[in-house]
Amino acid sequence: QVHLVESGGGSVEAGGSLELSCAASEDAYSRYCMAWFRQAPGKEREGVARLYTSAEYTAYADSVQGRFTIWRDNYRNTLHLQMNSLEPEDTAMYYCAAASTGSCSLLTRKMAEYNTWGQGTQVTVSS
C-alpha cells in the first residue's frame, strides 16, 4: 500500500524551529520526486520544497529559501523538512507528496503531478 504519514508539526514562537517528518511506504519513497507543500486557511496550496530522489537535487520557494531544508533519510524511508527562523506567515497545514512522473515542480498548477499525498501536519507560528 502506498502511503505517506507526516509528523512533527506544532506551535512555536516566531524565530523558532521545527522539523517535519514524512514516513513513506517503500513504493512512495521510491518515487522520482518528493516534496513539501503547505496550505494556510483561505489560501491556495503552495509548494515549499522539493527533492529529486535520484540525485538529491533540491529547490525551494522564494519565501523559505535559506530558512528551510529538505532532506531524506534513506535508512528510514523518511523525508524531512527542517524549518528555521519561522515566521507567522509560515503558519499552515504542511503536506508531504510524491510524484512518479512529471516536472517535480513546486508550481501550484503542477500539483496534479503528485499522485500520493499525506494527511498533513499543522504548523502554527505565533508572533
Side-chain angles (χ1 to χ4, degrees):
Q1 187 175 2
V2 178
H3 64 264
L4 299 168
V5 180
E6 302 95 334
S7 62
S11 297
V12 296
E13 293 185 351
S17 299
L18 281 174
E19 181 176 323
L20 306 184
S21 298
C22 173
S25 62
E26 190 67 35
D27 184 61
Y29 198 73
S30 65
R31 301 284 172 86
Y32 100 110
C33 174
M34 297 188 76
W36 288 96
F37 287 79
R38 67 185 181 186
Q39 187 166 19
K43 294 190 176 181
E44 208 172 36
R45 189 171 296 190
E46 62 176 1
V48 175
R50 66 95 169 119
L51 177 148
Y52 279 104
T53 58
S54 61
E56 306 290 327
Y57 293 139
T58 60
Y60 299 89
D62 289 344
S63 60
V64 306
Q65 182 75 49
R67 299 188 297 122
F68 290 12
T69 303
I70 185 173
W71 57 283
R72 301 200 323 158
D73 181 342
N74 293 327
Y75 290 102
R76 296 178 175 84
N77 282 14
T78 306
L79 181 73
H80 297 268
L81 184 69
Q82 177 65 43
M83 305 185 296
N84 298 327
S85 301
L86 283 162
E87 303 168 353
E89 293 74 23
D90 295 318
T91 295
M93 184 73 79
Y94 283 71
Y95 298 91
C96 175
S100 302
T101 60
S103 58
C104 200
S105 171
L106 292 176
L107 295 175
T108 300
R109 59 185 172 85
K110 297 283 190 176
M111 274 197 311
E113 295 178 354
Y114 292 86
N115 49 6
T116 302
W117 291 82
Q119 83 290 347
T121 186
Q122 177 67 37
V123 172
T124 303
V125 185
S126 59
S127 56

